Amino acid sequence: MKKSLVALSIGAGMSAGANAAVYQLEELSTLDTAKHHYITDVNNNGDVIGQARGIYNLPIDVSYIDFTENTIKNAYENWETRQFEQINKDITFTLDDIAAGNINADALTFMLAFLSDRNGDYNWQKLSDIVAVDFTPSPATEMTLTDVVSSEFDGLTRSVNALYNAISEDGVRVGSASAPYSKVEFTPEGEEEAETFFIREYRSRGVVVSNTGVVTTLPIIDDTYGGEGTATDVVMRPDGGYYVVGSSSIGVTTDGQDNYDENCDGVDEPVEACVWRYENAASSNLLSSFYNRRAVQWTLDANLNVVETKELGLGLVREEDEDNAFVSVALAVNADGVSVGYSHVRRYNNENSILTMPVAFKDGEVIELLNQEDDWRAGKALAITDEGIIVGYGTKLVEGRTTTKFFYHDLNTGTTTFPTDYFSSSSSVARDVNANGLVVGEGEVDVVSSSSRRREAFLYSIGDDAVANINDLLPCYDTDGESDYPYNFSEATAVDDDGTIYGVATKTVQKLNARGEVEVDDSGKTLFESVAMPVMLTRIAGGEVEECPPAAAGTYERQSGSFGWLALLALPLLALRRRFIR
């Protein structure tokens, strides 16, 4: 019987002569303008896309701010106490400096934190530090998607969440982006002075980017009050066209319409600001969303013109007395037009309880992939191959803790398998599967904390008993043969049909401030931090698992530490993806 790659790799580690790693790691090109970089998709031609977070030099519009108001004065005083006085350091800027446009790195950090705390207030500038990135060809380049040049300052508004989600074999990319914000003056009824409001045209749209860089916005089914749409995957059709999947609003919910009718009259605030307020208030709970949304498939011709926009269905039938927002989203599609994602469904033993479960959209049906009677209460399907193999994760209580467990599902037989991951209460997610049955993802590798656990990437071959930690398949030392290996491979997001793995590794580098300048301490010593790097892992011919001595074997833990930010930033990716090698 032919052994799998994982079995061969693990078995090689038992031989006394093991002295070469199984994979070699290569950093991909990154933007000089951002701190963290994440891969979201690749194709079999080596084209790699993703996103960057932590943009340096975000623009601050000070023209509308009254720096004598208590809101910002109190925030400044609290910042001075917490960030400077408690470490016996003098603050390096004043509010007058900021008002005059003299914004050093410390002042910029303060203003970004101040605006972030007021992200739910439409009277303050909106900024986003997320951009779409083409990692190849080198050097990496930013794709602005829906952002525009600002009328208030030089450069883009930097108010758009620009997400790259998938790429086809011939280089067509799809993603999602919000509309840019604009600043308007509005005088509420009964007031004498105008107020500043930041408004936008819509919450989000799916976009298609041609292999020459032309950006096209996909139509949504219902754009009442702006609406909402996403594009999460793209695949070439045999006739030369494309399938694109994602989601679209199909109308405003009953509660949403009632709120609009009662409050969005343009008297106390611009209508767009009122809609934005209700969209935001409902965004944390799918059932209370401002819009009803459905999984959608767009059929495009070879020139990327939309030929058809089709709803893919919902995993339940709405009762007459139900006013909830019901949602389904397609996250991946194969060349046959079979899609997977998630949908609201009813709990098997309680018709009034609504769950969000992994599903497949096939031939007009919405097919649940997990057996609720086994206590699965949530999940998402993130990838599908042309052969009908689906991967994703389900959620259940394990040892009293809400835990995700990765699975693969064979659509041909209807069987779902949950392989053994790192340990019983480890949360794991499968992000991609290739045509040869190699699955990649990540899982928790320690039990230090119940709320924030370190994650490391895994490799699994369908049919094996358990996963292999990809870090165990990397070298013990850096290229000099002595220094500890500088990477911890935290998240595997894609694997091509040749078995090349792509994802995120954490690495310790010089710490850069909000201006992108190297930070030093009071003595002038350079500070360091861990950042997320986009990397590619290729198989080493004849490579074997290295038997690292304790010091080198512990490198992964020392380098990765506890990356709470990495776990948090990874969560949105589950909703974006995905990829799925055909």
Side-chain angles (χ1 to χ4, degrees):
M1 182 179 72
K2 182 179 179 181
K3 292 186 178 180
S4 71
L5 173 61
V6 175
L8 287 171
S9 300
I10 295 174
M14 299 178 181
S15 67
N19 56 12
V22 177
Y23 284 93
Q24 62 181 6
L25 180 151
E26 177 185 347
E27 287 185 19
L28 300 183
S29 173
T30 58
L31 301 178
D32 293 334
T33 55
K35 187 182 293 287
H36 302 292
H37 296 78
Y38 303 86
I39 291 172
T40 53
D41 201 11
V42 304
N43 61 23
N44 283 315
N45 296 317
D47 301 318
V48 187
I49 64 168
Q51 59 196 50
R53 303 194 69 162
I55 302 299
Y56 303 124
N57 294 303
L58 285 171
I60 303 297
D61 180 5
V62 300
S63 64
Y64 71 99
I65 301 176
D66 181 356
F67 285 91
T68 66
E69 286 189 352
N70 286 334
T71 300
I72 195 163
K73 288 175 62 179
N74 291 340
Y76 175 82
E77 291 171 2
N78 290 335
W79 188 266
E80 181 178 19
T81 299
R82 296 197 316 268
Q83 302 295 328
F84 289 87
E85 291 180 357
Q86 289 183 359
I87 59 173
N88 297 318
K89 185 178 179 181
D90 292 331
I91 196 166
T92 62
F93 64 93
T94 65
L95 290 181
D96 288 339
D97 290 331
I98 298 175
N102 300 321
I103 305 177
N104 65 16
D106 288 338
L108 179 55
T109 300
F110 162 72
M111 285 303 301
L112 293 176
F114 175 81
L115 293 172
S116 177
D117 288 342
R118 285 148 189 82
N119 195 47
D121 186 336
Y122 45 42
N123 295 125
W124 293 94
Q125 181 187 6
K126 299 292 171 280
L127 290 170
S128 172
D129 71 341
I130 306 173
V131 298
V133 181
D134 287 310
F135 289 113
T136 57
S138 184
T141 56
E142 176 187 349
M143 178 59 69
T144 56
L145 300 185
T146 57
D147 206 357
V148 296
V149 174
S150 171
S151 60
E152 306 295 333
F153 41 75
D154 292 337
L156 300 169
T157 71
R158 291 297 180 197
S159 63
V160 167
N161 287 327
L163 305 172
Y164 253 167
N165 295 335
I167 186 169
S168 69
E169 291 301 322
D170 64 344
V172 172
R173 287 92 78 199
V174 298
S176 305
S178 56
Y181 285 87
S182 59
K183 184 171 70 174
V184 299
E185 297 297 310
F186 178 87
T187 304
E189 188 176 88
E191 301 290 335
E192 295 183 358
E193 294 186 5
E195 295 181 17
T196 299
F197 290 82
F198 290 85
I199 62 173
R200 62 186 179 187
E201 185 180 350
Y202 53 81
R203 184 171 179 82
S204 68
R205 288 289 188 272
V207 297
V208 177
V209 184
S210 72
N211 49 26
T212 60
V214 177
V215 180
T216 303
T217 301
L218 290 167
I220 59 175
I221 294 172
D222 188 292
D223 63 358
T224 301
Y225 312 136
E228 185 174 356
T230 62
T232 53
D233 198 17
V234 57
V235 64
M236 295 180 67
R237 301 198 329 266
D239 64 2
Y242 304 85
Y243 288 128
V244 177
V245 295
S247 67
S248 168
S249 53
I250 62 168
V252 180
T253 62
T254 300
D255 287 344
Q257 188 61 57
D258 289 344
N259 286 329
Y260 181 91
D261 293 339
E262 293 174 11
N263 299 290
C264 298
D265 52 12
V267 173
D268 298 319
E269 61 200 351
V271 171
E272 299 92 338
C274 181
V275 171
W276 177 89
R277 176 159 54 89
Y278 284 113
E279 287 176 339
N280 272 12
S283 62
S284 61
N285 186 338
L286 287 179
L287 288 173
S288 64
S289 173
F290 190 72
Y291 302 105
N292 285 298
R293 289 186 292 141
R294 295 293 181 270
V296 168
Q297 176 181 284
W298 292 271
T299 301
L300 278 58
D301 64 20
N303 296 316
L304 303 182
N305 299 305
V306 176
V307 176
E308 181 186 27
T309 302
K310 179 174 66 175
E311 284 188 50
L312 296 179
L314 181 70
L316 57 82
V317 176
R318 182 187 293 275
E319 301 292 342
E320 289 185 4
D321 61 346
E322 290 182 312
D323 296 331
N324 288 336
F326 289 138
V327 172
S328 63
V329 177
L331 298 177
V333 62
N334 67 16
D336 294 325
V338 180
S339 302
V340 298
Y342 59 94
S343 175
H344 278 142
V345 302
R346 297 191 188 279
R347 189 165 179 169
Y348 78 100
N349 59 357
N350 183 350
E351 287 289 304
N352 296 318
S353 179
I354 307 301
L355 307 178
T356 304
M357 298 294 285
V359 297
F361 304 95
K362 181 181 181 183
D363 298 331
E365 293 186 75
V366 180
I367 305 166
E368 282 194 64
L369 303 180
L370 305 185
N371 185 354
Q372 291 189 32
E373 294 187 43
D374 290 335
D375 295 326
W376 298 106
R377 293 293 176 263
K380 294 178 182 179
L382 302 178
I384 181 172
T385 68
D386 286 346
E387 295 74 28
I389 301 300
I390 301 166
V391 299
Y393 70 93
T395 301
K396 68 189 313 183
L397 284 178
V398 178
E399 299 177 8
R401 177 177 182 265
T402 300
T403 305
T404 63
K405 290 294 184 181
F406 89 93
F407 69 82
Y408 68 88
H409 177 93
D410 188 335
L411 201 56
N412 305 295
T413 63
T415 58
T416 303
T417 303
F418 285 86
T420 302
D421 53 11
Y422 289 135
F423 54 89
S424 61
S425 66
S426 168
S427 278
S428 58
V429 174
R431 296 188 178 275
D432 199 12
V433 55
N434 74 2
N436 301 310
L438 285 181
V439 179
V440 295
E442 78 273 351
E444 295 171 336
V445 295
D446 61 36
V447 292
V448 173
S449 167
S450 62
S451 59
S452 178
R453 293 178 173 181
R454 183 165 49 95
R455 292 173 176 260
E456 294 188 2
F458 69 72
L459 176 64
Y460 172 78
S461 181
I462 288 178
D464 281 357
D465 295 328
V467 302
N469 188 323
I470 296 179
N471 287 296
D472 293 337
L473 311 180
L474 297 175
C476 296
Y477 300 104
D478 203 353
T479 52
D480 61 8
E482 297 179 358
S483 304
D484 288 342
Y485 197 64
Y487 302 96
N488 179 74
F489 195 43
S490 304
E491 177 186 288
T493 53
V495 55
D496 69 18
D497 288 345
D498 290 332
T500 301
I501 301 170
Y502 297 82
V504 175
T506 55
K507 179 184 180 183
T508 300
V509 299
Q510 290 182 328
K511 185 176 183 180
L512 302 184
N513 61 28
R515 290 292 185 197
E517 305 158 339
V518 176
E519 283 200 58
V520 297
D521 62 17
D522 290 340
S523 65
K525 185 178 179 181
T526 300
L527 299 176
F528 291 85
E529 64 181 340
S530 290
V531 299
M533 302 289 299
V535 296
M536 175 178 69
L537 274 60
T538 53
R539 185 76 190 269
I540 299 172
E544 298 177 340
V545 176
E546 291 189 11
E547 297 178 2
C548 302
T555 298
Y556 305 126
E557 182 174 354
R558 290 198 306 274
Q559 293 291 345
S560 60
S562 178
F563 294 112
W565 57 266
L566 182 62
L568 290 173
L569 295 184
L571 290 176
L573 300 179
L574 301 180
L576 303 178
R577 301 271 307 155
R578 283 261 342 190
R579 153 95 184 129
F580 318 101
I581 311 282
R582 326 311 163 191

